[in-house]
Amino acid sequence: MTGTRALRVSRMIRETAGFLLPVTEVAGDAEFAGAVAGDAEVVGDPAITRIEFDFDLRPGSDHTGMVVLVAEVIGSPSEFARIRQRYGAAAVLVVAPGTRAHLGEGSSGGSGSAGPFVLERSEQVTWSEVLVHLRQLTEGASSALTWPDVDDLSSVAAVIADLTGASITIEDPASRVLAHANLGEDIDEIRRQTILTGAIPGWRIEELEESGFLPAIRASTDVVERPATDTEPARSVIALRSEGELLGTIWAAHGDGADPRRIREVLRDAARAALPVMLRTLRRSPFEKRIRREAFGSILQGSADLGPAATLLALPFAGRYAAVAVAEVSAEREPELRFHLRAAFADAVVARDEATGLVAALLQTEAEADPESLQEPVAEALARTRPSIEPLAFGMGESVQRLDHVHRSWSEARYVCEAVRQRLESANSRGGEYAVVDDLEIASGVYGANAAEVPAELVGLRVADALAEADAQLSAPARILALHDERHEGQLLPTLRAYFDAVGNSAEAARRLHVHSNSLRHRLARIEELTGLSALIRAERLWLELALLVVDRQRRCENPTTDSREDG
């Protein structure tokens, strides 16, 4: 039995919306309210003065103001009348499901009183959950938080992380990760492995089983805690259940400065808020997942109707957004990249853009954020991926204030990313090991920029796209050389590219191509023979350069995983 602080039925119902349904009035409100509460101002809303957790209440005891939980099945109106007579002074009866047809029938039941209100327990809620929640209500420890209307587990995890400051994972019964959110800079190694592999490591599961921690989680209806060790932070876990079935768990890893009481309170509320979302997630089909990817793609491409996509991805129409384009093509590296971006930006939407082969990230930013200020945290997040001998390039798009302007940010991010890749390739062709792009390196092995830092490259890329649309014949000379190289395993297109990169310096171009200067002159003569254009005549050289610019751009767009400089 708990304390005697009064609690209104209306408050209990309001704060348990979606948890206990529905409320049914059995008889006259005013008559019953006056009998139980003794207060005319609470007509139809009796006060709960205590909650009894004993199913075997002794007949004849005083039940005034109590919430009585009826465990026995009520199969007829007469049985219901008998229950009401036994607990006639109670404020509320909570009865088992399946009795709705009898509620309100035989109101007096021979008791001569109006009888109690009836709160019917939902079939999706176990008795243990009812007990825990009602106890929390009377202790004032629950339902104090305002939960946003979220429709995916990633959003739930982000809210929990924001409220607690802890690192959160939401897992299914097989310990596979369904969602995660991380607010701290440091991630302990076990959690890192769990998220990157998508599940708790097998050896860790065995350890938790042997220690009794996992069995305790499965058996408990409340938060279970594991203290910190020398190598691991403390963990608080709560199970998600429906009709007694374990649907999943919410894990919170927190440091020494965290408030365990606050984390317990949030996790209890979170378990209730996450339950319907978990049910939808577990039933989500591959088709629905594809729909979500397509919804993100429609936002990046600037679809005319963004309403369904915004609703599906829980993105506000009015907000501050910035797009990031990452030139990452490794299937092995991509999950880590997504993980670290989402860890650094809780609300980020991250997916591969099938049209370009780039990894797209949509960041929700503060009002004052701009591309330059976002570059460093993005680079730091990307640098946490496994070391690679290849550099990682990314481009920041402009900051926009509406969801229907995101396509502008994404377009700019793609151009900037391509410009960064061009600088990397140019540096590599000189044998400088990317030394000439040190001004773009903002983290170890990570090269990023915004539009203001690569203006010349952006002009070239946009000109190439504009020319390709304006006149297909403009690119004919370069296409002739590409076809010749393909048929004869030649190197005329790379030769022309190296010659222009060396600003017409034949000796430097020959060095970059690792050929003799005579071989270079022979190739240039062959290029003039095939195209009718000479690289020594200004107007003809300009045509060749523009044709090469357009063809390189087109080939990159058609096959984003192939370096346009690796012809043949």
Side-chain angles (χ1 to χ4, degrees):
M1 187 179 297
T2 64
T4 59
R5 186 170 57 84
L7 179 68
R8 300 296 185 200
V9 172
S10 58
R11 178 190 163 193
M12 184 175 75
I13 301 309
R14 181 177 65 251
E15 296 185 349
T16 56
F19 189 81
L20 297 171
L21 297 172
V23 176
T24 305
E25 298 177 13
V26 176
D29 294 347
E31 208 177 333
F32 174 67
V36 173
D39 186 350
E41 296 181 0
V42 292
V43 172
D45 191 12
I48 301 171
T49 57
R50 55 186 182 145
I51 296 178
E52 180 63 61
F53 295 103
D54 182 4
F55 286 162
D56 300 319
L57 298 176
R58 291 174 295 176
S61 60
D62 183 12
H63 305 134
T64 302
M66 293 176 56
V67 172
V68 179
L69 309 178
V70 182
E72 61 188 280
V73 176
I74 303 172
S76 67
S78 60
E79 291 178 2
F80 179 61
R82 178 174 51 81
I83 294 295
R84 289 181 55 250
Q85 183 177 14
R86 183 187 308 171
Y87 307 114
V92 174
L93 293 180
V94 181
V95 301
T99 64
R100 188 172 304 179
H102 305 305
L103 300 185
E105 298 181 23
S107 299
S108 62
S111 64
S113 65
F117 280 51
V118 175
L119 180 66
E120 183 177 0
R121 180 174 64 89
S122 168
E123 294 185 8
Q124 285 72 42
V125 180
T126 64
W127 281 108
S128 58
E129 290 171 317
V130 172
L131 294 173
V132 168
H133 193 72
L134 292 178
R135 181 185 293 115
Q136 291 171 352
L137 282 172
T138 56
E139 293 173 352
S142 177
S143 300
L145 303 174
T146 303
W147 278 83
D149 184 14
V150 293
D151 191 44
D152 64 275
L153 291 177
S154 294
S155 298
V156 173
V159 172
I160 302 172
D162 185 57
L163 291 172
T164 63
S167 296
I168 305 299
T169 56
I170 301 178
E171 301 170 10
D172 69 7
S175 298
R176 292 185 293 261
V177 176
L178 300 174
H180 59 82
N182 180 64
L183 294 182
E185 296 182 358
D186 298 325
I187 304 172
D188 64 278
E189 185 58 28
I190 291 177
R191 186 172 190 273
R192 183 178 185 276
Q193 291 183 32
T194 297
I195 295 175
L196 294 185
T197 60
I200 297 179
W203 63 267
R204 176 67 165 177
I205 292 178
E206 292 181 7
E207 177 186 291
L208 295 175
E209 289 281 6
E210 293 176 0
S211 67
F213 189 62
L214 282 182
I217 294 171
R218 297 189 192 106
S220 176
T221 58
D222 206 350
V223 178
V224 179
E225 298 172 331
R226 181 183 176 95
T229 66
D230 293 338
T231 58
E232 301 174 25
R235 280 170 165 78
S236 299
V237 190
I238 192 166
L240 302 176
R241 305 179 190 279
S242 177
E243 300 183 52
E245 177 187 0
L246 178 66
L247 297 182
T249 50
I250 303 176
W251 294 65
H254 45 93
D256 296 336
D259 181 359
R261 172 182 284 185
R262 170 67 171 173
I263 292 175
R264 284 193 293 270
E265 292 175 354
V266 173
L267 286 181
R268 286 165 182 157
D269 267 1
R272 188 183 65 200
L275 184 59
V277 183
M278 173 70 83
L279 287 169
R280 287 193 296 271
T281 300
L282 294 177
R283 294 166 183 167
R284 185 170 288 160
S285 65
F287 173 77
E288 185 175 352
K289 293 178 182 178
R290 179 172 64 82
I291 291 297
R292 292 174 66 84
R293 289 195 300 269
E294 292 177 354
F296 186 36
S298 70
I299 292 173
L300 296 179
Q301 301 306 320
S303 171
D305 183 11
L306 294 181
T311 301
L312 190 62
L313 298 175
L315 295 173
F317 189 82
R320 199 84 176 186
Y321 295 100
V324 182
V326 186
E328 172 58 51
V329 297
S330 168
E332 294 77 15
R333 197 172 179 184
E334 186 179 333
E336 295 184 62
L337 184 147
R338 279 202 296 259
F339 158 58
H340 286 291
L341 277 175
R342 286 171 176 160
F345 301 92
D347 296 323
V349 181
V350 186
R352 179 178 289 275
D353 179 44
E354 300 298 336
T356 62
L358 302 172
V359 173
L362 183 60
L363 313 181
Q364 296 189 49
T365 70
E366 298 297 333
E368 65 274 9
D370 54 40
E372 186 176 0
S373 66
L374 291 171
Q375 270 180 242
E376 187 171 351
V378 168
E380 290 175 352
L382 297 178
R384 295 191 187 107
T385 60
R386 290 183 206 162
S388 172
I389 60 173
E390 293 297 328
L392 184 59
F394 75 91
M396 289 295 314
E398 63 175 308
S399 181
V400 297
Q401 300 183 38
R402 291 158 53 104
L403 194 63
D404 59 342
H405 291 170
V406 162
H407 67 97
R408 295 193 333 222
S409 181
W410 171 238
S411 177
E412 183 171 277
R414 288 190 291 112
Y415 275 123
V416 173
C417 182
E418 182 66 16
V420 173
R421 293 175 71 175
Q422 285 188 358
R423 284 202 184 184
L424 290 171
E425 291 165 1
S426 179
N428 190 38
S429 69
R430 294 183 174 89
E433 297 183 355
Y434 314 110
V436 292
V437 290
D438 280 346
D439 58 319
L440 298 183
E441 184 176 15
I442 49 182
S444 178
V446 177
Y447 297 81
N450 58 65
E453 294 173 318
V454 286
E457 288 88 345
L458 291 189
V459 169
L461 291 169
R462 286 171 172 150
V463 165
D465 286 345
L467 291 175
E469 294 179 4
D471 186 358
Q473 281 301 107
L474 189 145
S475 62
R479 287 189 281 108
I480 290 172
L481 299 180
L483 182 61
H484 178 275
D485 287 346
E486 182 181 346
R487 290 177 175 175
H488 303 283
E489 297 183 358
Q491 292 291 311
L492 297 184
L493 204 62
T495 296
L496 189 63
R497 189 183 296 114
Y499 182 74
F500 288 145
D501 284 349
V503 199
N505 187 324
S506 298
E508 175 61 18
R511 186 192 69 79
R512 295 185 187 184
L513 291 168
H514 307 291
V515 299
H516 194 273
S517 56
N518 289 336
S519 297
L520 177 69
R521 284 193 292 271
H522 175 74
R523 291 183 184 180
L524 290 175
R526 183 60 174 155
I527 289 171
E528 183 176 351
E529 179 183 341
L530 290 170
T531 64
L533 302 174
S534 172
L536 301 178
I537 300 175
R538 181 179 180 183
E540 295 179 3
R541 181 176 66 248
L542 177 60
W543 189 356
L544 286 171
E545 286 190 276
L546 292 176
L548 182 62
L549 183 69
V550 171
V551 165
D552 279 352
R553 176 68 175 154
Q554 289 176 335
R555 297 178 74 178
R556 173 84 79 182
C557 292
E558 292 169 1
N559 189 358
T561 64
T562 300
D563 187 344
S564 62
R565 296 173 176 270
E566 296 177 356
D567 300 274

